[in-house]
Amino acid sequence: MSAPPRFPQPTTQVASIPAMTPFVAPEELARRVGRSELLRLGANESAFGPSPRAIAAMREAVALTSWYGDPESLQLRAALAARHGCAVEEVVVASGIDELMGLIVRGFCAPGAACVATRGTYPTLFYHLNGFGGRAEFAEPNENGGLVPENIADAVRRSGAKLVYIANPDNPSGSFADRATLAALREVLPDDVLLFLDEAYADFVSPGELPPDAIDPRTIRTRTFSKAYGMAGARIGYALASAEVIATFQKLRLHFGVNRTAQIGALAALDDGAFMRGVIAEVERGRDEYHALAAAHALPSLPSRTNFVCIGIGSKADAEAMVAALLELGVFVRKPWAPPIDGFVRVTVGTVAERAAFAERFAEALDRVREKAVR
Ligand SMILES: *Cc1c(COP(=O)(O)O)cnc(C)c1O
C-alpha cells in the first residue's frame, strides 16, 4: 500500500481534468507586453457602454450593496417574460450565459455522456463539460465555420448525445442559421435531446429572423446583457425554456449569484430601446468598415451577424503571428481555434476612433507578418 499523500488532494474526477485556460484575459496580455492598457477588440465587449439609464440606475443601486439581490430576480424576470411573451416560470436569470452553460451541463449531460457542438464554436461549454465529466462530440462546420444541420444530426445519432449546443449567431465565425434551418434541425433531433441555443448575439439580428418566442419544451435559449447591452462586467444573462427545464436550475443554481446592482441595471437597460437601436446601427457601420479594411488589403472576411468580423490572414501560423504582432502594437484580438477558419483573426467592432486606430495598426502588423514570411 502506498503512503497517504502529504497534502490534501482534489477528487479523482477533478484531478483528471486537463489543465485548460479557456481565455487569457486582456489584463494578463497587457502585463505580458508591459503595457498598462490595450486597444480592447478581442472579447466582443461593447465599445458603446451600457445605456445611460442603466448607468444611472446602477449608480444609485450601489449604495445598497450591503443587501443581497432578490434571489428570484422577480422584477427582471417579469420584464423579460413580458418581452418574450412567456411566463415568469419560463425564465431564469444567472450571472451570464457562461454560468448557465455550467448549469445546463450539470443538469442535462451525465458524466461520460456526449454533447454535440460544431467544431470551432464558442469554447466555454467544453470547459464545463471537462469539469463535470461530459465530453464534446464535434460536428464538422461548413467552409465559413458555420453549422451544418446534417452533420449535427449525424453526430447525435453516432454518439447518443442528449444535449446539442448551437451558438446562433455563432462566435467566433459570426455566421447565422435562419429560423427555418433551426426548425428543420429541431424536427430531426429526437424529442429527448435538449437543444441549447446560445443567442448571445441575438440582439444584432431582427426578431423576425430568429426562432419565434413560443417556448419549445425541447429547447433552451440563452441571452445576455454582455454584448449589445454593454454590461459584460455586470455579469448577467438569462435563459428561456419550459417551466420544467427552468425548475431544474432551481435545484442547482447559486441563489445569490446574480448581484443586486446588475439586476437593477439590466431592468433599466431593457427600457432603453432607443439606445439599443443606436448601438446596433453603429455596429453595422463598424462591420462594414472592417470588411472594407480586409478588402483594401486583399484579404477575405467572413459575413457576420454579430459585433465582430473575422479577417482571413492566411495559414493558422500566419493568423497566430498576426495576433502576436497586433499585441506588440498594443491591440487585443483573438482568433478562431479550429479549421477551416483558424487562419482568420476576429475583431470586435470598436468606436469610430478605435476603428481608425485599429486600421492603422492592422496595416503595420500585417507588414510585419508578411516581412517575416518572406524572410
Ligand atoms: C460572449 C458569449 C457568451 C458569454 O456571455 P456572458 O453572458 O457574458 O457569460 C456566451 N456565448 C457566446 C456565444 C458568447 O459569444
Side-chain angles (χ1 to χ4, degrees):
M1 240 179 73
S2 57
R6 292 176 55 218
F7 303 105
Q9 298 295 310
T11 65
T12 317
Q13 199 236 319
V14 171
S16 71
I17 297 173
M20 155 178 182
T21 309
F23 298 109
V24 181
E27 290 80 1
E28 173 59 22
L29 294 171
R31 287 189 285 269
R32 288 182 192 174
V33 293
R35 287 181 183 259
S36 60
E37 216 175 74
L38 300 173
L39 179 54
R40 198 165 161 129
L41 302 175
N44 305 337
E45 296 152 324
S46 178
F48 311 102
S51 135
R53 287 195 207 173
I55 293 175
M58 289 191 283
R59 187 167 278 147
E60 201 181 302
V62 163
L64 262 182
T65 298
S66 43
W67 288 7
Y68 290 107
D70 172 9
E72 302 303 329
S73 295
L74 197 65
Q75 259 191 303
L76 178 58
R77 283 165 67 217
L80 292 167
R83 160 164 305 219
H84 292 289
C86 65
V88 171
E89 294 72 26
E90 294 168 328
V91 186
V92 64
V93 170
S95 61
I97 294 177
D98 285 358
E99 187 201 7
L100 287 162
M101 285 183 169
L103 297 174
I104 292 169
V105 168
R106 278 173 77 193
F108 295 93
C109 187
C115 166
V116 166
T118 297
R119 189 187 300 283
T121 193
Y122 185 74
T124 301
L125 186 83
F126 312 130
Y127 168 84
H128 290 299
L129 284 169
N130 282 342
F132 296 118
R135 66 191 164 83
E137 182 77 25
F138 289 117
E140 293 309 317
N142 63 23
E143 69 282 4
N144 285 341
L147 73 93
V148 180
E150 302 77 49
N151 293 355
I152 290 173
D154 282 350
V156 169
R157 254 176 254 124
R158 187 167 74 227
S159 63
K162 297 292 177 222
L163 181 62
V164 170
Y165 172 69
I166 290 175
N168 193 52
D170 181 52
N171 175 15
S173 68
S175 65
F176 177 66
D178 62 22
R179 59 157 70 176
T181 305
L182 290 176
L185 173 61
R186 182 57 270 186
E187 283 323 301
V188 301
L189 294 177
D191 286 342
D192 64 342
V193 169
L194 182 65
L195 176 59
F196 170 8
L197 265 188
D198 178 353
E199 298 182 320
Y201 300 94
D203 301 304
F204 298 106
V205 176
S206 67
E209 294 181 86
L210 297 166
D213 264 344
I215 300 285
D216 179 332
R218 307 165 300 171
T219 300
I220 182 165
R221 302 167 72 175
T222 57
R223 301 283 180 97
T224 183
F225 288 90
S226 295
K227 305 286 158 64
Y229 286 98
M231 293 176 55
R235 308 305 306 125
I236 186 158
Y238 61 99
L240 305 170
S242 70
E244 288 73 21
V245 167
I246 296 297
T248 306
F249 298 125
Q250 285 298 87
K251 304 179 189 174
L252 300 175
R253 73 189 176 89
L254 191 56
H255 288 90
F256 296 107
V258 182
N259 82 69
R260 186 175 176 278
T261 306
Q263 290 174 359
I264 289 166
L267 191 60
L270 276 181
D271 253 356
D272 200 346
F275 174 80
M276 185 65 130
R277 283 189 293 279
V279 168
I280 290 165
E282 191 55 29
V283 164
E284 279 176 15
R285 275 192 286 279
R287 281 198 313 246
D288 290 346
E289 279 184 36
Y290 284 163
H291 290 302
L293 175 69
H297 290 283
L299 297 172
S301 57
L302 298 178
S304 168
R305 301 299 302 273
T306 64
N307 66 347
F308 59 82
V309 171
C310 284
I311 300 177
I313 307 300
S315 66
K316 174 172 185 245
D318 293 335
E320 282 169 354
M322 189 65 181
V323 171
L326 283 166
L327 180 59
E328 272 173 37
L329 294 170
V331 182
F332 163 55
V333 300
R334 287 197 174 117
K335 64 176 289 300
W337 60 271
I341 60 165
D342 55 349
F344 286 69
V345 298
R346 189 197 69 188
V347 193
T348 309
V349 170
T351 59
V352 173
E354 287 170 335
R355 277 150 26 208
F358 176 73
E360 243 172 60
R361 295 187 215 176
F362 182 83
E364 167 74 31
L366 195 61
D367 279 346
R368 292 186 186 183
V369 169
R370 283 176 174 168
E371 256 168 50
K372 261 189 213 146
V374 169
R375 249 190 278 133

